[in-house]
Amino acid sequence: MCGIIGHVGNGDAIDTLLTGLENLEYRGYDSAGVAVQNGSGIEIQKRSGRVSELKASIEDRPLRGRVGIGHTRWSTHGPPTDENAHPHTDSTEDVAVVHNGIIENYAELKERLSARGHEFTSDTDTEVIPHLIQQYVDEGYGNEAAFRRAVEELEGSYAIAVMLSGEHTLYAARQGSPLVVGVEGEEFFLASDVPAFLEYTDTVAYLEDGDVAIVDPDGVEFTDLEGDSVDRDLETVDWDPEQTGKGEYDHFMLKEIDEQPTSLAQTIEGRIDPERGAIDLEGFEPGTFEDVSSVQLIACGTSYHAALYGSLVLNAAGVSARALLANEYSVCAPPVDEETLVIAVSQSGETADTLSALRQATEEGARTLTVTNVVGSTAARQADDSVLIRAGPEIGVAATKTFSSQAVVLELLAHRLTRDVVGETPYDLESYLPALARLPQQVDDVLEESDAERIARHYRDHESYFFIGRGLGYPVALEGALKFKEITYEHAEGFASGELKHGPLALVTPKTPVFAIFTGQEDERTLKNAEEASTRGAPVVAICPDGHRATEIADAHLEIPDTEPELAGLLANVQLQLVSYHAADLLGRPIDKPRNLAKSVTVE
């Protein structure tokens, strides 16, 4: 979704704002803009296109100011034009606003304000906010009171930062969209995500729904909408600023694929003890889930594939579990009660559909738990319990390292759940735990030895790409297809391998490579399905260990090390990530910024 940055301090704000926008561009890159207090009023530059274009424009026509706000947009209301770019102002340009979210009652507000003489110049819902604030200022309200009155009238989801002419103060509010404050001495920052200002400070406070933050050179005040003080503790973010940069890599995606040995090591650190045969997931002692009778996992996109992975592990162990698309939960959720555990899986912890489903589950009496990558995220605060995947910051729009860490955390949770619910573990810990301890090194081996670039080059001119797998290979097939389509723009589909002959086989031609995933579970059946595709002329790429029988019928082979079936799919997934990356690179696609997509979907 969109990215917000704000700065209050003694130094010039422009460099900070532009750096923040560059760091946030993964949240939206249709247009960008900044506004600063220049000593005589508010000065704005904004334009459609990337942040780099805005930066070049500011170099030609410099801005100066110690207080400012900035925004990088992912379009919802109105196309990406100069007029629709943020910040938006009222008619007098005394109020500047940046906004992430959707104002659901903007049409009603716009009609009312237009009747009072306000003229609008954009197609956005955001533009009603500065006009509404100015209306209250015109009626005699002070700046802060006008801001609060305006926010009270807004319906929908929003994160808002506001600046009024002649005042070195930022006003911010949040409802359903993330906002975080950063503090470093006498410098203060406001952003929709920590990476925006991480190189300046790692000390943060997270706003919660209904919060208002007033930031000026003297500090930060947190209140509710009525003006009553609320406590928001300062926390230290355990992220290295270098993690949010590309370093020597051409793309964040490749960097984050290569970071998986480290992210997986962080995920399991202190949580497994192969010598004792023990799993110790912090905060979840034996008996934690003994009252649970069924599990629902809710998520979207890549996180849904991880949720499906976790549900299959639980079902195989005898715990009733279902993975459900969070954006369909309101219309097709199965019944829940106090014995239902609903697990929300979200990399950012801010995914709007997942948060909505989580709220619904809570209202219906379910116990809730969040699996996320972000400390202090809305999902982590909203759920009864949370588990961090510890993958470190992920900037590339196409999720990579977070998928593997989510799947591992869900496997660790599955151990605790099955021990509590059915009295058994879902796997043989004597073999599983040593294999899990080896997983980071095995991923590193795959990265070092992968033949994915050659295979991507060989099949680059084909028409469609199928990915098949059985059991735990099925969510990996779905994830492989998703990665391929979202960054190459080529048609790709993932299937449970047995479903090929129930329709999709009609689409198979010699121009339809089939990537077949072999995990060590039901491999003979997957092999039979791959052979069916091969006899119709489709080239088959087998993802399996060396010496596997699939290599005898396959046209190409992506090797994975021998391991437990519960982990083999995660190694296969790394190979498929590399295939997608190299295919997109060969096609010249904007890999980190695929068209029409943004990293965190914070509106439904």
PDB file of all heavy atoms in Angstrom, residues 501-531:
ATOM      1  N   LYS A 501      -5.101 -34.392 -14.202  1.00  0.00           N
ATOM      2  CA  LYS A 501      -5.958 -35.144 -15.112  1.00  0.00           C
ATOM      3  C   LYS A 501      -7.439 -34.805 -14.961  1.00  0.00           C
ATOM      4  O   LYS A 501      -8.287 -35.345 -15.669  1.00  0.00           O
ATOM      5  CB  LYS A 501      -5.749 -36.641 -14.916  1.00  0.00           C
ATOM      6  CG  LYS A 501      -5.996 -37.152 -13.520  1.00  0.00           C
ATOM      7  CD  LYS A 501      -5.694 -38.648 -13.438  1.00  0.00           C
ATOM      8  CE  LYS A 501      -5.787 -39.167 -12.009  1.00  0.00           C
ATOM      9  NZ  LYS A 501      -4.695 -38.640 -11.180  1.00  0.00           N
ATOM     10  N   HIS A 502      -7.760 -33.889 -14.043  1.00  0.00           N
ATOM     11  CA  HIS A 502      -9.147 -33.462 -13.864  1.00  0.00           C
ATOM     12  C   HIS A 502      -9.400 -32.110 -14.514  1.00  0.00           C
ATOM     13  O   HIS A 502     -10.196 -31.304 -14.013  1.00  0.00           O
ATOM     14  CB  HIS A 502      -9.498 -33.416 -12.371  1.00  0.00           C
ATOM     15  CG  HIS A 502      -9.507 -34.757 -11.726  1.00  0.00           C
ATOM     16  ND1 HIS A 502     -10.552 -35.648 -11.846  1.00  0.00           N
ATOM     17  CD2 HIS A 502      -8.568 -35.388 -10.972  1.00  0.00           C
ATOM     18  CE1 HIS A 502     -10.277 -36.754 -11.191  1.00  0.00           C
ATOM     19  NE2 HIS A 502      -9.070 -36.633 -10.647  1.00  0.00           N
ATOM     20  N   GLY A 503      -8.731 -31.841 -15.607  1.00  0.00           N
ATOM     21  CA  GLY A 503      -8.983 -30.617 -16.351  1.00  0.00           C
ATOM     22  C   GLY A 503      -7.742 -29.933 -16.883  1.00  0.00           C
ATOM     23  O   GLY A 503      -7.627 -29.695 -18.093  1.00  0.00           O
ATOM     24  N   PRO A 504      -6.781 -29.595 -16.011  1.00  0.00           N
ATOM     25  CA  PRO A 504      -5.614 -28.838 -16.488  1.00  0.00           C
ATOM     26  C   PRO A 504      -4.794 -29.541 -17.558  1.00  0.00           C
ATOM     27  O   PRO A 504      -4.101 -28.877 -18.331  1.00  0.00           O
ATOM     28  CB  PRO A 504      -4.790 -28.627 -15.209  1.00  0.00           C
ATOM     29  CG  PRO A 504      -5.795 -28.660 -14.107  1.00  0.00           C
ATOM     30  CD  PRO A 504      -6.801 -29.677 -14.536  1.00  0.00           C
ATOM     31  N   LEU A 505      -4.869 -30.871 -17.619  1.00  0.00           N
ATOM     32  CA  LEU A 505      -4.091 -31.602 -18.615  1.00  0.00           C
ATOM     33  C   LEU A 505      -4.465 -31.189 -20.034  1.00  0.00           C
ATOM     34  O   LEU A 505      -3.666 -31.313 -20.965  1.00  0.00           O
ATOM     35  CB  LEU A 505      -4.286 -33.107 -18.426  1.00  0.00           C
ATOM     36  CG  LEU A 505      -3.165 -34.026 -18.927  1.00  0.00           C
ATOM     37  CD1 LEU A 505      -1.834 -33.686 -18.275  1.00  0.00           C
ATOM     38  CD2 LEU A 505      -3.531 -35.486 -18.649  1.00  0.00           C
ATOM     39  N   ALA A 506      -5.683 -30.641 -20.193  1.00  0.00           N
ATOM     40  CA  ALA A 506      -6.112 -30.182 -21.518  1.00  0.00           C
ATOM     41  C   ALA A 506      -5.273 -29.003 -22.005  1.00  0.00           C
ATOM     42  O   ALA A 506      -5.219 -28.737 -23.215  1.00  0.00           O
ATOM     43  CB  ALA A 506      -7.588 -29.769 -21.466  1.00  0.00           C
ATOM     44  N   LEU A 507      -4.617 -28.311 -21.082  1.00  0.00           N
ATOM     45  CA  LEU A 507      -3.809 -27.141 -21.445  1.00  0.00           C
ATOM     46  C   LEU A 507      -2.354 -27.491 -21.713  1.00  0.00           C
ATOM     47  O   LEU A 507      -1.582 -26.631 -22.137  1.00  0.00           O
ATOM     48  CB  LEU A 507      -3.875 -26.103 -20.322  1.00  0.00           C
ATOM     49  CG  LEU A 507      -5.263 -25.553 -19.987  1.00  0.00           C
ATOM     50  CD1 LEU A 507      -5.183 -24.632 -18.780  1.00  0.00           C
ATOM     51  CD2 LEU A 507      -5.851 -24.819 -21.181  1.00  0.00           C
ATOM     52  N   VAL A 508      -1.978 -28.723 -21.431  1.00  0.00           N
ATOM     53  CA  VAL A 508      -0.576 -29.118 -21.546  1.00  0.00           C
ATOM     54  C   VAL A 508      -0.181 -29.274 -23.017  1.00  0.00           C
ATOM     55  O   VAL A 508      -0.860 -29.942 -23.804  1.00  0.00           O
ATOM     56  CB  VAL A 508      -0.322 -30.424 -20.776  1.00  0.00           C
ATOM     57  CG1 VAL A 508       1.022 -31.031 -21.162  1.00  0.00           C
ATOM     58  CG2 VAL A 508      -0.359 -30.158 -19.277  1.00  0.00           C
ATOM     59  N   THR A 509       0.933 -28.635 -23.373  1.00  0.00           N
ATOM     60  CA  THR A 509       1.505 -28.733 -24.717  1.00  0.00           C
ATOM     61  C   THR A 509       3.030 -28.799 -24.574  1.00  0.00           C
ATOM     62  O   THR A 509       3.564 -28.654 -23.474  1.00  0.00           O
ATOM     63  CB  THR A 509       1.151 -27.494 -25.570  1.00  0.00           C
ATOM     64  OG1 THR A 509       1.921 -26.370 -25.103  1.00  0.00           O
ATOM     65  CG2 THR A 509      -0.336 -27.162 -25.494  1.00  0.00           C
ATOM     66  N   PRO A 510       3.738 -28.990 -25.670  1.00  0.00           N
ATOM     67  CA  PRO A 510       5.202 -28.939 -25.583  1.00  0.00           C
ATOM     68  C   PRO A 510       5.737 -27.577 -25.132  1.00  0.00           C
ATOM     69  O   PRO A 510       6.916 -27.452 -24.820  1.00  0.00           O
ATOM     70  CB  PRO A 510       5.653 -29.264 -27.020  1.00  0.00           C
ATOM     71  CG  PRO A 510       4.544 -30.099 -27.571  1.00  0.00           C
ATOM     72  CD  PRO A 510       3.294 -29.515 -26.984  1.00  0.00           C
ATOM     73  N   LYS A 511       4.872 -26.563 -25.102  1.00  0.00           N
ATOM     74  CA  LYS A 511       5.272 -25.242 -24.641  1.00  0.00           C
ATOM     75  C   LYS A 511       4.807 -24.967 -23.204  1.00  0.00           C
ATOM     76  O   LYS A 511       4.723 -23.814 -22.787  1.00  0.00           O
ATOM     77  CB  LYS A 511       4.693 -24.165 -25.574  1.00  0.00           C
ATOM     78  CG  LYS A 511       5.410 -24.057 -26.913  1.00  0.00           C
ATOM     79  CD  LYS A 511       6.808 -23.446 -26.719  1.00  0.00           C
ATOM     80  CE  LYS A 511       7.442 -23.104 -28.050  1.00  0.00           C
ATOM     81  NZ  LYS A 511       8.784 -22.481 -27.862  1.00  0.00           N
ATOM     82  N   THR A 512       4.529 -26.063 -22.457  1.00  0.00           N
ATOM     83  CA  THR A 512       4.067 -25.925 -21.073  1.00  0.00           C
ATOM     84  C   THR A 512       4.994 -26.710 -20.150  1.00  0.00           C
ATOM     85  O   THR A 512       4.737 -27.878 -19.835  1.00  0.00           O
ATOM     86  CB  THR A 512       2.623 -26.458 -20.916  1.00  0.00           C
ATOM     87  OG1 THR A 512       1.795 -25.915 -21.927  1.00  0.00           O
ATOM     88  CG2 THR A 512       2.058 -26.095 -19.538  1.00  0.00           C
ATOM     89  N   PRO A 513       6.086 -26.135 -19.693  1.00  0.00           N
ATOM     90  CA  PRO A 513       6.948 -26.841 -18.756  1.00  0.00           C
ATOM     91  C   PRO A 513       6.196 -27.155 -17.459  1.00  0.00           C
ATOM     92  O   PRO A 513       5.437 -26.324 -16.945  1.00  0.00           O
ATOM     93  CB  PRO A 513       8.087 -25.850 -18.490  1.00  0.00           C
ATOM     94  CG  PRO A 513       8.042 -24.895 -19.624  1.00  0.00           C
ATOM     95  CD  PRO A 513       6.615 -24.799 -20.044  1.00  0.00           C
ATOM     96  N   VAL A 514       6.414 -28.349 -16.952  1.00  0.00           N
ATOM     97  CA  VAL A 514       5.790 -28.772 -15.701  1.00  0.00           C
ATOM     98  C   VAL A 514       6.890 -28.973 -14.664  1.00  0.00           C
ATOM     99  O   VAL A 514       7.761 -29.827 -14.826  1.00  0.00           O
ATOM    100  CB  VAL A 514       4.983 -30.077 -15.891  1.00  0.00           C
ATOM    101  CG1 VAL A 514       4.445 -30.567 -14.545  1.00  0.00           C
ATOM    102  CG2 VAL A 514       3.831 -29.849 -16.880  1.00  0.00           C
ATOM    103  N   PHE A 515       6.855 -28.174 -13.611  1.00  0.00           N
ATOM    104  CA  PHE A 515       7.807 -28.296 -12.504  1.00  0.00           C
ATOM    105  C   PHE A 515       7.191 -29.208 -11.450  1.00  0.00           C
ATOM    106  O   PHE A 515       6.171 -28.861 -10.838  1.00  0.00           O
ATOM    107  CB  PHE A 515       8.124 -26.919 -11.915  1.00  0.00           C
ATOM    108  CG  PHE A 515       8.901 -26.029 -12.840  1.00  0.00           C
ATOM    109  CD1 PHE A 515       8.259 -25.309 -13.849  1.00  0.00           C
ATOM    110  CD2 PHE A 515      10.282 -25.916 -12.715  1.00  0.00           C
ATOM    111  CE1 PHE A 515       8.971 -24.487 -14.715  1.00  0.00           C
ATOM    112  CE2 PHE A 515      11.006 -25.097 -13.579  1.00  0.00           C
ATOM    113  CZ  PHE A 515      10.349 -24.390 -14.578  1.00  0.00           C
ATOM    114  N   ALA A 516       7.770 -30.369 -11.267  1.00  0.00           N
ATOM    115  CA  ALA A 516       7.218 -31.384 -10.368  1.00  0.00           C
ATOM    116  C   ALA A 516       8.054 -31.464  -9.100  1.00  0.00           C
ATOM    117  O   ALA A 516       9.276 -31.636  -9.156  1.00  0.00           O
ATOM    118  CB  ALA A 516       7.177 -32.744 -11.064  1.00  0.00           C
ATOM    119  N   ILE A 517       7.394 -31.341  -7.951  1.00  0.00           N
ATOM    120  CA  ILE A 517       8.067 -31.290  -6.651  1.00  0.00           C
ATOM    121  C   ILE A 517       7.942 -32.641  -5.965  1.00  0.00           C
ATOM    122  O   ILE A 517       6.826 -33.165  -5.794  1.00  0.00           O
ATOM    123  CB  ILE A 517       7.424 -30.181  -5.780  1.00  0.00           C
ATOM    124  CG1 ILE A 517       7.555 -28.835  -6.482  1.00  0.00           C
ATOM    125  CG2 ILE A 517       8.057 -30.143  -4.390  1.00  0.00           C
ATOM    126  CD1 ILE A 517       6.495 -27.843  -6.058  1.00  0.00           C
ATOM    127  N   PHE A 518       9.062 -33.189  -5.559  1.00  0.00           N
ATOM    128  CA  PHE A 518       9.088 -34.495  -4.889  1.00  0.00           C
ATOM    129  C   PHE A 518       9.644 -34.308  -3.486  1.00  0.00           C
ATOM    130  O   PHE A 518      10.783 -33.871  -3.299  1.00  0.00           O
ATOM    131  CB  PHE A 518       9.947 -35.479  -5.691  1.00  0.00           C
ATOM    132  CG  PHE A 518       9.396 -35.773  -7.055  1.00  0.00           C
ATOM    133  CD1 PHE A 518       9.755 -34.985  -8.149  1.00  0.00           C
ATOM    134  CD2 PHE A 518       8.495 -36.811  -7.251  1.00  0.00           C
ATOM    135  CE1 PHE A 518       9.237 -35.231  -9.409  1.00  0.00           C
ATOM    136  CE2 PHE A 518       7.977 -37.070  -8.520  1.00  0.00           C
ATOM    137  CZ  PHE A 518       8.342 -36.283  -9.601  1.00  0.00           C
ATOM    138  N   THR A 519       8.812 -34.644  -2.481  1.00  0.00           N
ATOM    139  CA  THR A 519       9.174 -34.402  -1.085  1.00  0.00           C
ATOM    140  C   THR A 519       9.518 -35.675  -0.317  1.00  0.00           C
ATOM    141  O   THR A 519       9.933 -35.598   0.829  1.00  0.00           O
ATOM    142  CB  THR A 519       8.022 -33.705  -0.344  1.00  0.00           C
ATOM    143  OG1 THR A 519       6.896 -34.606  -0.297  1.00  0.00           O
ATOM    144  CG2 THR A 519       7.628 -32.410  -1.021  1.00  0.00           C
ATOM    145  N   GLY A 520       9.320 -36.848  -0.962  1.00  0.00           N
ATOM    146  CA  GLY A 520       9.485 -38.096  -0.231  1.00  0.00           C
ATOM    147  C   GLY A 520       8.173 -38.652   0.275  1.00  0.00           C
ATOM    148  O   GLY A 520       8.146 -39.732   0.869  1.00  0.00           O
ATOM    149  N   GLN A 521       7.081 -37.934   0.073  1.00  0.00           N
ATOM    150  CA  GLN A 521       5.746 -38.416   0.419  1.00  0.00           C
ATOM    151  C   GLN A 521       4.941 -38.609  -0.867  1.00  0.00           C
ATOM    152  O   GLN A 521       4.801 -37.680  -1.660  1.00  0.00           O
ATOM    153  CB  GLN A 521       5.015 -37.412   1.325  1.00  0.00           C
ATOM    154  CG  GLN A 521       5.591 -37.292   2.722  1.00  0.00           C
ATOM    155  CD  GLN A 521       4.864 -36.225   3.535  1.00  0.00           C
ATOM    156  OE1 GLN A 521       4.341 -35.267   3.007  1.00  0.00           O
ATOM    157  NE2 GLN A 521       4.857 -36.412   4.849  1.00  0.00           N
ATOM    158  N   GLU A 522       4.425 -39.824  -1.084  1.00  0.00           N
ATOM    159  CA  GLU A 522       3.594 -40.112  -2.250  1.00  0.00           C
ATOM    160  C   GLU A 522       4.314 -39.770  -3.561  1.00  0.00           C
ATOM    161  O   GLU A 522       3.692 -39.356  -4.548  1.00  0.00           O
ATOM    162  CB  GLU A 522       2.278 -39.321  -2.163  1.00  0.00           C
ATOM    163  CG  GLU A 522       1.454 -39.590  -0.936  1.00  0.00           C
ATOM    164  CD  GLU A 522       0.644 -40.879  -1.036  1.00  0.00           C
ATOM    165  OE1 GLU A 522       0.534 -41.409  -2.157  1.00  0.00           O
ATOM    166  OE2 GLU A 522       0.129 -41.339  -0.007  1.00  0.00           O
ATOM    167  N   ASP A 523       5.631 -39.951  -3.579  1.00  0.00           N
ATOM    168  CA  ASP A 523       6.388 -39.577  -4.770  1.00  0.00           C
ATOM    169  C   ASP A 523       6.008 -40.387  -6.003  1.00  0.00           C
ATOM    170  O   ASP A 523       6.055 -39.864  -7.129  1.00  0.00           O
ATOM    171  CB  ASP A 523       7.890 -39.733  -4.504  1.00  0.00           C
ATOM    172  CG  ASP A 523       8.473 -38.547  -3.761  1.00  0.00           C
ATOM    173  OD1 ASP A 523       7.703 -37.631  -3.407  1.00  0.00           O
ATOM    174  OD2 ASP A 523       9.690 -38.540  -3.518  1.00  0.00           O
ATOM    175  N   GLU A 524       5.627 -41.644  -5.818  1.00  0.00           N
ATOM    176  CA  GLU A 524       5.278 -42.470  -6.971  1.00  0.00           C
ATOM    177  C   GLU A 524       4.059 -41.912  -7.689  1.00  0.00           C
ATOM    178  O   GLU A 524       3.986 -41.926  -8.923  1.00  0.00           O
ATOM    179  CB  GLU A 524       5.034 -43.917  -6.537  1.00  0.00           C
ATOM    180  CG  GLU A 524       6.312 -44.675  -6.212  1.00  0.00           C
ATOM    181  CD  GLU A 524       7.265 -44.742  -7.411  1.00  0.00           C
ATOM    182  OE1 GLU A 524       6.777 -45.004  -8.543  1.00  0.00           O
ATOM    183  OE2 GLU A 524       8.471 -44.520  -7.222  1.00  0.00           O
ATOM    184  N   ARG A 525       3.105 -41.396  -6.923  1.00  0.00           N
ATOM    185  CA  ARG A 525       1.913 -40.824  -7.547  1.00  0.00           C
ATOM    186  C   ARG A 525       2.251 -39.522  -8.279  1.00  0.00           C
ATOM    187  O   ARG A 525       1.755 -39.273  -9.376  1.00  0.00           O
ATOM    188  CB  ARG A 525       0.838 -40.578  -6.486  1.00  0.00           C
ATOM    189  CG  ARG A 525       0.278 -41.863  -5.893  1.00  0.00           C
ATOM    190  CD  ARG A 525      -0.925 -41.568  -5.038  1.00  0.00           C
ATOM    191  NE  ARG A 525      -1.509 -42.785  -4.490  1.00  0.00           N
ATOM    192  CZ  ARG A 525      -2.653 -42.822  -3.815  1.00  0.00           C
ATOM    193  NH1 ARG A 525      -3.328 -41.699  -3.604  1.00  0.00           N
ATOM    194  NH2 ARG A 525      -3.128 -43.966  -3.350  1.00  0.00           N
ATOM    195  N   THR A 526       3.075 -38.702  -7.658  1.00  0.00           N
ATOM    196  CA  THR A 526       3.492 -37.467  -8.331  1.00  0.00           C
ATOM    197  C   THR A 526       4.248 -37.792  -9.605  1.00  0.00           C
ATOM    198  O   THR A 526       4.084 -37.131 -10.640  1.00  0.00           O
ATOM    199  CB  THR A 526       4.367 -36.611  -7.398  1.00  0.00           C
ATOM    200  OG1 THR A 526       3.643 -36.310  -6.210  1.00  0.00           O
ATOM    201  CG2 THR A 526       4.805 -35.319  -8.063  1.00  0.00           C
ATOM    202  N   LEU A 527       5.084 -38.837  -9.545  1.00  0.00           N
ATOM    203  CA  LEU A 527       5.837 -39.252 -10.715  1.00  0.00           C
ATOM    204  C   LEU A 527       4.897 -39.690 -11.840  1.00  0.00           C
ATOM    205  O   LEU A 527       5.107 -39.351 -13.019  1.00  0.00           O
ATOM    206  CB  LEU A 527       6.783 -40.389 -10.348  1.00  0.00           C
ATOM    207  CG  LEU A 527       7.699 -40.908 -11.463  1.00  0.00           C
ATOM    208  CD1 LEU A 527       8.595 -39.800 -11.984  1.00  0.00           C
ATOM    209  CD2 LEU A 527       8.543 -42.065 -10.941  1.00  0.00           C
ATOM    210  N   LYS A 528       3.848 -40.411 -11.475  1.00  0.00           N
ATOM    211  CA  LYS A 528       2.878 -40.851 -12.484  1.00  0.00           C
ATOM    212  C   LYS A 528       2.221 -39.639 -13.146  1.00  0.00           C
ATOM    213  O   LYS A 528       2.036 -39.607 -14.373  1.00  0.00           O
ATOM    214  CB  LYS A 528       1.822 -41.741 -11.840  1.00  0.00           C
ATOM    215  CG  LYS A 528       0.783 -42.263 -12.814  1.00  0.00           C
ATOM    216  CD  LYS A 528      -0.225 -43.165 -12.117  1.00  0.00           C
ATOM    217  CE  LYS A 528      -1.284 -43.649 -13.095  1.00  0.00           C
ATOM    218  NZ  LYS A 528      -2.319 -44.479 -12.426  1.00  0.00           N
ATOM    219  N   ASN A 529       1.868 -38.640 -12.350  1.00  0.00           N
ATOM    220  CA  ASN A 529       1.240 -37.436 -12.915  1.00  0.00           C
ATOM    221  C   ASN A 529       2.207 -36.687 -13.829  1.00  0.00           C
ATOM    222  O   ASN A 529       1.805 -36.149 -14.864  1.00  0.00           O
ATOM    223  CB  ASN A 529       0.759 -36.513 -11.800  1.00  0.00           C
ATOM    224  CG  ASN A 529      -0.253 -37.160 -10.883  1.00  0.00           C
ATOM    225  OD1 ASN A 529      -0.158 -37.058  -9.660  1.00  0.00           O
ATOM    226  ND2 ASN A 529      -1.234 -37.855 -11.448  1.00  0.00           N
ATOM    227  N   ALA A 530       3.486 -36.633 -13.434  1.00  0.00           N
ATOM    228  CA  ALA A 530       4.484 -35.981 -14.278  1.00  0.00           C
ATOM    229  C   ALA A 530       4.636 -36.735 -15.597  1.00  0.00           C
ATOM    230  O   ALA A 530       4.790 -36.121 -16.671  1.00  0.00           O
ATOM    231  CB  ALA A 530       5.817 -35.909 -13.543  1.00  0.00           C
ATOM    232  N   GLU A 531       4.588 -38.071 -15.536  1.00  0.00           N
ATOM    233  CA  GLU A 531       4.702 -38.876 -16.750  1.00  0.00           C
ATOM    234  C   GLU A 531       3.520 -38.627 -17.690  1.00  0.00           C
ATOM    235  O   GLU A 531       3.674 -38.614 -18.916  1.00  0.00           O
ATOM    236  CB  GLU A 531       4.795 -40.356 -16.397  1.00  0.00           C
ATOM    237  CG  GLU A 531       6.137 -40.735 -15.779  1.00  0.00           C
ATOM    238  CD  GLU A 531       6.187 -42.193 -15.340  1.00  0.00           C
ATOM    239  OE1 GLU A 531       5.156 -42.662 -14.799  1.00  0.00           O
ATOM    240  OE2 GLU A 531       7.225 -42.836 -15.528  1.00  0.00           O
TER     241      GLU A 531
END
